[in-house]
Amino acid sequence: MSEENRMKENIRDLELPELEAVLLELGEPKFRAKQIYSWLHVKLCDDFSEMTNVSKPLREKLQKTYTAALPEICEVLTSKLDGTKKYIFKMQDGHVIEAVLMKYEHGNSVCISSQVGCRMGCRFCASTLDGLARNLTSGEMLSQVYEIQRESGERVDNIVIMGSGEPMDNYENFTRFVRMISDENGLNISRRNITVSTCGIVEGIRRLADENYGITLALSLHAPNDETRRKLMPIANKYSLSEIMPAIEYYFEKTGRRVTFEYSVVQGVNDNRQEALELVRLIRGMKHGGKLQCHVNLIPVNPIKERDWKRPDRTKIEEFQHVLQHAGITATIRREMGSDISGACGQLRRDYLKENA
Ligand code: SAH
């Protein structure tokens, strides 16, 4: 990234109507915006000079204010086991983030970051150890997908906003990202194939339900009661389950989308039969009780160097799963992707920063 580009606005942050306004301002016809949008969001072009159906004077004018550059790829790790790829990107201002490409039978998924770092402070998560540096813009979220598609040559089918950051803490940019990635003039990824994960920011969940984006919601639950939840997640001091669970029901009522509960299983903290039974009661106790379409995703905790949480034995996690299944709740154990290049969420970025300090 050149010094010059660093000061410029990212043209990829603009939605089509905004780009149209910019071009009208420059005395250009409106259709020009669609052409440029297509260069940026379909052809994934990163340089105005390659936009061959746009006149040179216009390209030069745009170049004065905006940059079309994509973030720099600093590192790509590829799993020999399942082809999972982990990427480290450097943004315009030098901040570093990570994203992951996972290949499944049902298609390719990209997991993107929504912030540089995070201020939610979940105790087992590496992304939050140094707090929040800044929000990512919508263009920077898009760029992660675009760069991965360019580098890997793979078509991206699903997006999960489950990398570093709390999307509801960056609501405007994350929803702008959702609009743009699902725009028919862009990559046109179906909103049904987009999942957002939140630690449980109630206002955000309710707003997302009201605005009905039609995306899938995942809640990082991690415990069946507030007391245990507070041991793992400081945000549990702000919102209790008595506020969060009704917000989840509201999301389901408004959107009809099946909700996912993520449950990172930590040895001796939330992995006993008693907690599994309590989780059943929590889910069954919701207003829609048996009707709520939900799914529990058990994530064996990924230990990070900085903390001493341990992963329970596989059999212990399976027992937990069986309690849920026995009660008629769908529960899966997350398959670890790219375990040979692994490291918990945010750990790769931390290692990279240390090595390059
Ligand atoms: N801020 C969002 C996205 C976070 S990452 C959220 O809180 O949901 C996606 C999921 O991975 C969350 O459920 C998060 O709690 C979980 N997670 C983060 N670090 C983990 C670790 N080391 N082991 C297991 N799960 C982890």
Side-chain angles (χ1 to χ4, degrees):
M1 176 70 49
S2 69
E3 232 2 270
E4 189 196 354
N5 274 347
R6 210 168 283 221
M7 316 305 296
K8 293 179 181 173
E9 286 176 50
N10 183 351
I11 197 166
R12 252 184 219 85
D13 287 334
L14 302 181
E15 289 188 64
L16 184 57
E18 294 167 329
L19 192 57
E20 282 170 354
V22 166
L23 286 155
L24 285 178
E25 189 86 358
L26 292 173
E28 294 285 333
K30 205 168 138 186
F31 74 85
R32 201 64 83 208
K34 243 185 194 169
Q35 291 178 326
I36 295 171
Y37 199 87
S38 171
W39 281 109
L40 293 167
H41 299 280
V42 180
K43 301 185 190 89
L44 312 185
C45 163
D46 62 353
D47 189 340
F48 288 112
S49 68
E50 287 166 18
M51 302 183 181
T52 45
N53 58 359
V54 180
S55 75
K56 200 163 176 233
L58 176 58
R59 281 187 263 147
E60 281 166 359
K61 261 190 252 173
L62 289 170
Q63 188 123 34
K64 280 210 179 92
T65 316
Y66 298 100
T67 171
L70 287 163
E72 180 190 335
I73 300 182
C74 302
E75 204 167 298
V76 186
L77 298 179
T78 306
S79 165
K80 292 192 182 71
L81 302 173
D82 53 34
T84 296
K85 284 184 153 194
K86 295 197 170 184
Y87 294 81
I88 292 281
F89 298 118
K90 189 177 274 169
M91 318 311 286
Q92 282 197 54
D93 63 359
H95 275 303
V96 163
I97 58 165
E98 62 178 86
V100 187
L101 168 69
M102 291 160 289
K103 296 178 187 168
Y104 294 102
E105 261 163 42
H106 61 266
N108 297 320
S109 286
V110 165
C111 175
I112 63 157
S113 293
S114 56
Q115 295 179 314
V116 183
C118 182
R119 60 183 180 133
M120 295 299 125
C122 296
R123 307 255 186 261
F124 46 80
C125 178
S127 301
T128 202
L129 289 167
D130 293 321
L132 175 71
R134 69 167 173 85
N135 284 330
L136 291 175
T137 68
S138 56
E140 288 171 326
M141 289 184 236
L142 291 166
S143 296
Q144 298 169 57
V145 180
Y146 297 175
E147 279 285 41
I148 288 179
Q149 192 154 306
R150 275 165 52 120
E151 192 281 337
S152 67
E154 301 272 356
R155 154 91 200 170
V156 174
D157 307 292
N158 305 289
I159 309 276
V160 292
I161 311 170
M162 282 194 188
S164 297
E166 169 50 47
M168 299 298 182
D169 191 34
N170 185 16
Y171 189 91
E172 299 298 342
N173 289 334
F174 126 68
T175 46
R176 177 182 277 258
F177 163 80
V178 171
R179 291 194 297 273
M180 292 178 79
I181 197 89
S182 60
D183 190 327
E184 58 180 10
N185 297 296
L187 277 195
N188 196 11
I189 292 179
S190 164
R191 291 190 182 175
R192 300 186 148 266
N193 296 346
I194 302 175
T195 299
V196 66
S197 177
T198 176
C199 62
I201 296 185
V202 169
E203 294 85 359
I205 296 171
R206 290 193 172 267
R207 185 168 167 199
L208 196 66
D210 286 333
E211 293 175 2
N212 204 344
Y213 278 96
I215 61 177
T216 300
L217 180 68
L219 173 74
S220 296
L221 187 56
H222 304 331
N225 60 62
D226 288 321
E227 195 193 336
T228 310
R229 204 162 181 265
R230 283 195 288 260
K231 285 187 199 154
L232 296 169
M233 310 170 75
I235 194 73
N237 292 303
K238 183 154 184 209
Y239 303 102
S240 68
L241 290 174
S242 65
E243 297 165 275
I244 297 173
M245 299 313 269
I248 295 294
E249 286 206 78
Y250 185 69
Y251 192 86
F252 175 71
E253 275 169 23
K254 283 267 171 174
T255 66
R257 308 280 303 152
R258 185 177 84 155
V259 187
T260 299
F261 295 112
E262 293 159 280
Y263 194 103
S264 297
V265 207
V266 187
Q267 191 183 80
V269 178
N270 64 2
D271 63 338
N272 281 318
R273 185 178 166 77
Q274 187 198 326
E275 273 113 16
L277 290 167
E278 209 179 337
L279 181 56
V280 169
R281 283 198 298 277
L282 179 72
I283 293 173
R284 286 287 165 257
M286 293 167 80
K287 199 168 77 197
H288 290 83
K291 267 193 293 161
L292 183 97
Q293 288 181 42
C294 71
H295 163 243
V296 177
N297 199 358
L298 299 168
I299 313 172
V301 77
N302 214 333
I304 57 174
K305 306 195 251 302
E306 295 80 356
R307 304 261 193 273
D308 57 0
W309 307 109
K310 290 193 182 63
R311 176 183 289 201
D313 293 339
R314 182 78 190 180
T315 46
K316 184 95 183 177
I317 302 176
E318 282 170 0
E319 277 166 30
F320 198 103
Q321 179 189 26
H322 292 152
V323 172
L324 299 173
Q325 286 173 335
H326 191 72
I329 297 171
T330 319
T332 49
I333 302 176
R334 182 179 292 178
R335 187 159 58 99
E336 204 178 348
M337 300 294 285
S339 53
D340 53 334
I341 52 164
S342 195
C345 315
Q347 192 80 63
L348 180 62
R349 167 174 179 265
R350 284 182 72 75
D351 292 346
Y352 178 86
L353 287 173
K354 250 180 232 144
E355 280 160 28
N356 293 277

